[in-house]
Amino acid sequence: MGEAAVIALLSGGVGGSRFAAGLYDLVGQELTVIVNTADDEVIYGLHISPDVDTVLYTLSGIGDWERGWGVAGDTFRCNEALGRLGRDNWFRIGDADLATNLLRTELLNSGWRLSEVTELLARRLGIRCRVIPMTDSRVRTTVVTSHGPMTFQEYFVKHRAEPEVLRIVVERSQDERPAPGVVEAIEGSGFLFVAPSNPILSIRPILETRGVLDAVRSSGAVKVAVSPIVGGRALRGPADRLMRAFGMEPSAYGVARYYAELFGLDGFVVDRADASLSSRIESELGVRVYVTDTIMADRSEARRLAEEVLRFAGTLR
Ligand code: GDP
Ligand code: CA
């Protein structure tokens, strides 16, 4: 890579972390990953931050790539013991993963901010780029479903994102601000990438953090998103169903349109399976399209995709 590419990436969990790992392998500390925290909850008395941890584990290489959460090879002895004690244990936290959550909770309880804890965890895991939660304030997501209202993790994990979603209520504090470094990373980057993450559950909460959408709109960065929808479907999770429920076309076109209308996209990356949507995206939305294989089955695939996206983005400068 010739000229240093300063990159800000907006990311959720599994799709986001995979793409983040690919970029990280190419540009190292020139990358800043801004991570969704709307999935954060207190469970078993611990502050869990699933998307942040997935990014940390994936970047550091200790994550379970295929599963998309937790530490590879982890055991679940604590979780099983909780079950034997009669505690509902549908939210699975592995034993090594538990250490992360214990330390995070301890530090938060002694007055640290989430971004400071995240920075410490990243450093201890040997990660050289910045990983920043979108905000240090608590964000609470309630999913109102056909089975009634439930917390985000009840919807996503306990009910496997199966109930029909009627509404999503994201409660945010009045004095919320982006975590330190978020706006600076967006404004100071040459490339602003949106990972192939769930647009509604992962990316929208980042953009709705006060000040972030304005920063994205006014940033002079080349803005490129990668589609999380492949062949008209989410590879996993409810992105396609949620898009339909919220009146969006559940396709790569629908994702491109959402970002194009929200903040203006320069480029959009679609899978070969959706190549036929390219001309519509280009002509109707005025967004340049790059077609390639976007399924990141392993880290080398992620690196290859990141390299292609970076090269494509470079042509849009
Ligand atoms: P979550 O927070 O764990 O739900 O993860 P994200 O929001 O980051 O990503 C969820 C989305 O990532 C889903 O819509 C998937 O279709 C998409 N996704 C996961 N892996 C890949 C991949 O390898 N390639 C692409 N293009 N999308 C992916
Ligand atoms: Ca998530």
Side-chain angles (χ1 to χ4, degrees):
M1 206 74 19
E3 193 183 325
V6 177
I7 299 172
L9 174 71
L10 309 186
S11 171
V14 60
S17 67
R18 288 173 170 186
F19 190 61
L23 286 172
Y24 176 65
D25 287 350
L26 297 177
V27 305
Q29 51 193 357
E30 303 301 322
L31 173 68
T32 298
V33 189
I34 298 164
V35 189
N36 171 47
T37 60
D39 306 2
D40 288 24
E41 265 171 41
V42 174
I43 299 184
Y44 313 134
L46 302 173
H47 181 115
I48 60 143
S49 205
D51 290 0
V52 169
D53 285 353
T54 295
V55 169
L56 293 175
Y57 295 157
T58 306
L59 288 183
S60 68
I62 67 170
D64 188 313
W65 188 276
E66 177 46 34
R67 192 172 56 195
W69 60 270
V71 174
D74 212 351
T75 50
F76 290 84
R77 298 193 58 187
C78 176
N79 217 90
E80 287 151 16
L82 277 170
R84 287 193 293 275
L85 290 171
R87 174 66 165 89
D88 246 356
N89 65 350
W90 52 263
F91 192 83
R92 297 179 71 219
I93 303 181
D95 298 321
D97 196 2
L98 194 56
T100 308
N101 288 288
L102 286 170
L103 181 57
R104 173 187 295 113
T105 305
E106 180 179 36
L107 293 172
L108 288 174
N109 287 344
S110 61
W112 287 49
R113 298 194 278 192
L114 183 64
S115 56
E116 295 170 324
V117 177
T118 305
E119 194 182 337
L120 176 107
L121 291 170
R123 209 163 53 237
R124 297 258 164 98
L125 289 169
I127 296 167
R128 289 170 300 111
C129 73
R130 293 218 292 162
V131 177
I132 318 178
M134 65 193 196
T135 181
D136 284 323
S137 302
R138 279 288 283 122
V139 177
R140 276 189 189 75
T141 301
T142 302
V143 184
V144 183
T145 75
S146 50
H147 295 31
M150 49 188 83
T151 67
F152 181 82
Q153 298 304 335
E154 281 174 334
Y155 161 72
F156 203 74
V157 178
K158 187 177 182 185
H159 295 283
R160 299 160 191 277
E162 282 161 4
E164 186 195 343
V165 175
L166 307 174
R167 261 179 323 125
I168 296 171
V169 182
V170 181
E171 287 171 86
R172 323 187 63 134
S173 88
Q174 289 293 319
D175 55 3
E176 176 191 84
R177 277 179 303 165
V182 167
V183 168
E184 293 80 351
I186 292 168
E187 287 176 342
S189 60
F191 297 110
L192 177 68
F193 291 153
V194 181
S197 288
N198 188 315
I200 295 172
L201 292 178
S202 297
I203 303 300
R204 185 169 68 175
I206 302 176
L207 295 170
E208 285 180 346
T209 305
R210 183 180 307 186
V212 169
L213 184 56
D214 284 341
V216 170
R217 283 181 177 150
S218 64
S219 168
V222 173
K223 298 164 200 169
V224 174
V226 181
S227 180
I229 303 290
V230 174
R233 304 185 56 171
L235 291 177
R236 66 168 84 185
D240 47 358
R241 281 179 289 127
L242 287 178
M243 288 176 72
R244 194 176 296 113
F246 286 85
M248 297 156 70
E249 179 181 310
S251 68
Y253 172 86
V255 178
R257 178 170 173 182
Y258 180 62
Y259 295 141
E261 289 179 349
L262 254 181
F263 58 80
L265 264 186
D266 298 300
F268 193 64
V269 178
V270 304
D271 196 88
R272 287 190 202 287
D274 300 303
S276 62
L277 294 170
S278 305
S279 57
R280 209 171 133 227
I281 294 171
E282 293 202 323
S283 63
E284 288 181 28
L285 305 175
V287 174
R288 289 277 301 283
V289 173
Y290 180 77
V291 180
T292 188
D293 295 318
T294 68
I295 298 181
M296 297 170 279
D298 58 28
R299 191 156 182 151
S300 68
E301 281 289 294
R303 203 176 305 129
R304 193 261 315 146
L305 176 62
E307 200 166 1
E308 287 188 48
V309 173
L310 206 45
R311 201 176 317 120
F312 168 57
T315 68
L316 303 175
R317 262 207 264 246

